[in-house]
């Protein structure tokens, strides 16, 4: 976060949205009270309702006004203030009417903003919430590539707490499942559309597989591990589906990352509310390896070795 800059200028620059916020005085007061540490939870809930009503009624421009109004809090040195400000913006984005080409510019600005804020790890949970909302919209291939790069190349996701890692895994999984099925792409469609259908999250499939593998390498929490194995399976299946050039060359690296988890050494704690068992993890591990026949020559010797032991 660029805390040294003029607060309103920094917020406006992040969205390329110059000028002061234009919003009703009561709404502006609600914004300030929501972010204040002195505000009670009851009042904060009421402030949120006021702000969300404003956003739903005023449309996409209200989000840009909100970002500018939040400038001092978004760039505050106090972590709690920044967290509340980004949480408020994420909730506002979730409730704003953003569908339609008329809002393409607003969506682009918001994507730039949230991607830039991923560097503020203390606020990662709320930033990821905002990105989750945006990825549910029909983003372009370039925008998906921007989000993928920020998450998998420019952020140290492994340093985040468990909950935030889980949110990041969920987001990358959604990105990996976003896009057109190449088999359903008509030959009458533009060459650009056909090329986009051969991408995952705006990235070539093998590259996306390696980025995802390396970004979450060494994950041990069972809740996150289930998502990680699902992500690997999804990406490997897509590489096979597209007959992606270069997949054969990276199979061994993928296998090495997965083989570290076998045999599954996990005993759920008593009264575990998540209900994850060793069998769940083993099944997810096997499904990941069954995503491609190319893993067979590598995994069979491993299984035989452990059977002999």
């Amino acid at each position: 976060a660029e805390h040294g800059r003029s607060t309103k200028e920094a917020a406006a620059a992040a969205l390329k949205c110059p000028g002061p916020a234009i919003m009703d005085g009561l709404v502006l007061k609600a914004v300030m009270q929501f972010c204040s540490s002195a505000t009670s939870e009851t009042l904060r809930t009421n402030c949120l309702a006021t702000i969300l009503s404003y956003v739903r009624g005023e449309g996409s421009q209200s989000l840009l006004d909100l970002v500018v109004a939040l400038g001092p809090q978004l760039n505050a040195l106090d972590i709690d203030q920044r967290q509340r400000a980004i949480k408020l913006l994420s909730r506002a984005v979730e409730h704003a009417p953003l569908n339609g080409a008329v809002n393409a510019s607003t969506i682009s600005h918001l994507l730039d903003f949230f991607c830039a804020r991923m560097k503020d790890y203390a606020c990662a949970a709320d930033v990821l919430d905002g990105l989750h909302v945006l990825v549910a919209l029909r983003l372009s291939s370039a925008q998906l590539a921007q989000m993928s790069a920020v998450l998998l190349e420019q952020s140290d996701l492994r340093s985040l707490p468990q909950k935030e890692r889980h949110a990041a895994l969920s987001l990358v999984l959604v990105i990996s499942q976003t896009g057109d099925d190449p088999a359903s792409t008509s030959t009458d469609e533009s060459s650009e559309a056909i090329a986009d259908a051969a991408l995952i999250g705006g990235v070539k499939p093998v590259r996306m597989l390696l980025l995802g593998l390396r970004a979450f390498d060494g994950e041990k929490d069972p809740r996150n591990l289930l998502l990680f194995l699902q992500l690997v399976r999804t990406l490997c299946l897509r590489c096979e589906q597209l007959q992606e050039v270069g997949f054969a060359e990276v199979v061994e690296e993928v296998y090495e990352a997965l083989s570290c988890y076998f045999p599954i050494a996990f005993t759920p704690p008593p009264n575990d509310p998540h209900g994850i068992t060793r069998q769940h993890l083993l099944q997810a591990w096997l499904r990941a390896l069954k995503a491609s026949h190319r893993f067979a020559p590598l995994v069979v010797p491993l299984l035989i070795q452990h059977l002999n032991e």
Side-chain angles (χ1 to χ4, degrees):
E2 297 176 81
H3 304 306
R5 300 179 60 183
S6 169
T7 52
K8 286 193 176 182
E9 289 181 3
L15 286 176
K16 303 173 186 175
C17 171
I22 304 173
M23 60 171 57
D24 182 89
L26 290 177
V27 179
L28 187 58
K29 180 180 179 181
V31 170
M32 299 300 103
Q33 288 181 325
F34 181 91
C35 296
S36 172
S37 59
T39 302
S40 68
E41 287 306 312
T42 299
L43 178 56
R44 185 169 285 117
T45 299
N46 293 338
C47 290
L48 179 62
T50 298
I51 297 163
L52 295 184
S53 177
Y54 164 75
V55 168
R56 283 190 290 262
E58 297 297 323
S60 60
Q61 180 59 40
S62 65
L63 292 174
L64 304 185
D65 292 340
L66 180 59
V67 171
V68 178
L70 283 170
Q73 288 75 28
L74 289 170
N75 294 282
L77 292 175
D78 182 74
I79 292 176
D80 290 338
Q81 278 199 12
R82 297 204 310 277
Q83 288 176 336
R84 283 190 289 268
I86 294 178
K87 181 187 293 291
L88 174 56
L89 183 59
S90 295
R91 292 295 303 276
V93 171
E94 182 181 0
H95 288 80
L98 285 175
N99 291 312
V102 69
N103 294 305
S105 176
T106 298
I107 293 171
S108 178
H109 292 329
L110 288 168
L111 178 61
D112 288 345
F113 178 84
F114 281 115
C115 284
R117 287 289 165 159
M118 267 306 298
K119 297 176 182 178
D120 189 358
Y121 290 161
C123 301
D126 298 305
V127 172
L128 289 166
D129 284 345
L131 291 173
H132 264 286
V133 175
L134 293 179
V135 82
L137 306 174
R138 193 161 183 82
L139 299 181
S140 69
S141 179
Q143 289 173 325
L144 290 173
Q146 176 186 358
M147 193 181 295
S148 299
V150 166
L151 290 169
L152 301 177
E153 296 185 83
Q154 300 169 22
S155 303
D156 183 8
L157 299 179
R158 288 177 293 185
S159 69
L160 297 176
Q162 181 275 326
K163 185 178 179 181
E164 282 82 345
R165 297 200 311 276
H166 190 278
L169 272 162
S170 298
L171 179 56
V172 174
L173 184 58
V174 171
I175 293 172
S176 300
Q177 296 169 336
T178 299
D180 299 321
D181 184 345
S184 66
T185 305
S186 168
T187 54
D188 296 330
E189 294 190 53
S190 68
S191 57
E192 182 180 354
I194 295 173
D196 285 350
L199 301 176
I200 302 177
V203 180
K204 287 186 176 296
V206 169
R207 178 168 175 76
M208 187 70 173
L209 173 60
L210 291 178
L211 289 175
L213 195 72
R214 294 165 183 173
F216 299 104
D217 183 40
E219 180 59 64
K220 295 181 180 179
D221 185 278
R223 294 161 291 182
N224 295 354
L225 186 54
L226 284 176
L227 279 181
F228 173 66
L229 293 171
Q230 185 181 351
L231 174 64
V232 173
R233 171 180 167 79
T234 298
L235 294 172
C236 287
L237 283 172
R238 193 67 181 276
C239 286
E240 283 286 2
Q241 179 188 23
L242 295 170
Q243 298 181 345
E244 181 70 6
V245 175
F247 181 45
E249 283 71 35
V250 305
V251 162
E252 188 168 350
E253 180 176 343
V254 178
Y255 166 75
E256 289 296 332
L258 295 179
S259 65
C260 296
Y261 294 104
F262 190 83
I264 304 295
F266 172 68
T267 302
N271 304 315
D272 179 21
H274 306 291
I276 299 174
T277 66
R278 183 181 304 176
Q279 188 66 18
H280 289 142
L281 294 172
L282 178 59
Q283 289 174 349
W285 184 80
L286 289 171
R287 282 196 297 269
L289 289 169
K290 287 166 63 178
S292 172
H293 67 280
R294 302 174 193 272
F295 289 119
L298 299 168
V299 73
V300 169
L302 175 69
L303 297 177
I304 292 176
Q305 174 189 340
H306 283 281
L307 282 174
N308 291 335
E309 292 176 353

